[in-house]
Amino acid sequence: DPVTVSWYRFSLSALIAPLWYGWRRLPTLKTMFRQHPGYSFVAAAGLLGNYLCYIWGLQRTNPGATQILIQVAPLLLLLASVFLFREPFSRRQWLGVLGFTVGMALFFYPRWDGQAATGDSYFIGVALVLTGAAAWSCYGMAQKQLLVNYHAKDSLLLICLTGTLAL
């Protein structure tokens, strides 16, 4: 089931990371949680939510639609970075966002009528995958803030350990 698959992903990563990075170079995870509890929690919950919602959504839709839908995640991260962190964004980049949005609409428009006849399962799957995409963008935003003070390997280990314990 999705929870077991996600637990294996988190736990194996949490076991392999210390071996890969070396025991002496591990961060003090208590320090990360103490200094940045909000970002640490959002990062762990965001990646955990992404994994679970993606797999649950995949059970209700098809792989092609799921793979296309999850591409909304980087777009959400981009928009959040522009609006929350005031990162610069040019007109050409906004044109790319418009093209992406139109492309998504063109991809899914013919599918809505056909899927409506099959029941709500497909729409629930789409909502789950989009929720997973939003969770991933929250993870990305929190990770950006954690990277100001910590190395990526440190926050990844923290997230994997937290995900293992949560599941």
Side-chain angles (χ1 to χ4, degrees), residues 26-38:
L26 289 178
T28 57
L29 299 179
K30 276 191 215 177
T31 304
M32 286 180 77
F33 258 121
R34 224 178 272 144
Q35 290 179 351
H36 304 286

Side-chain angles (χ1 to χ4, degrees), residues 143-155:
Q143 180 80 331
K144 276 184 163 194
Q145 293 304 301
L146 288 172
L147 288 177
V148 171
N149 298 311
Y150 301 100
H151 193 275
K153 69 177 179 61
D154 300 339
S155 62

Side-chain angles (χ1 to χ4, degrees), residues 22-94:
W23 291 105
R24 283 178 267 152
R25 292 188 284 160
L26 289 178
T28 57
L29 299 179
K30 276 191 215 177
T31 304
M32 286 180 77
F33 258 121
R34 224 178 272 144
Q35 290 179 351
H36 304 286
Y39 294 133
S40 299
F41 175 78
V42 170
L47 196 59
L48 183 62
N50 170 259
Y51 283 8
L52 292 174
C53 288
Y54 182 84
I55 293 175
W56 285 328
L58 183 59
Q59 290 177 330
R60 295 175 178 268
T61 61
N62 59 57
T66 304
Q67 190 58 38
I68 296 296
L69 278 170
I70 202 64
Q71 299 309 312
V72 170
L75 178 68
L76 293 175
L77 178 61
L78 175 132
L79 293 174
S81 295
V82 168
F83 291 113
L84 295 178
F85 294 147
R86 304 284 186 232
E87 292 182 7
F89 211 66
S90 70
R91 286 184 182 178
R92 180 183 268 174
Q93 290 169 312
W94 280 116

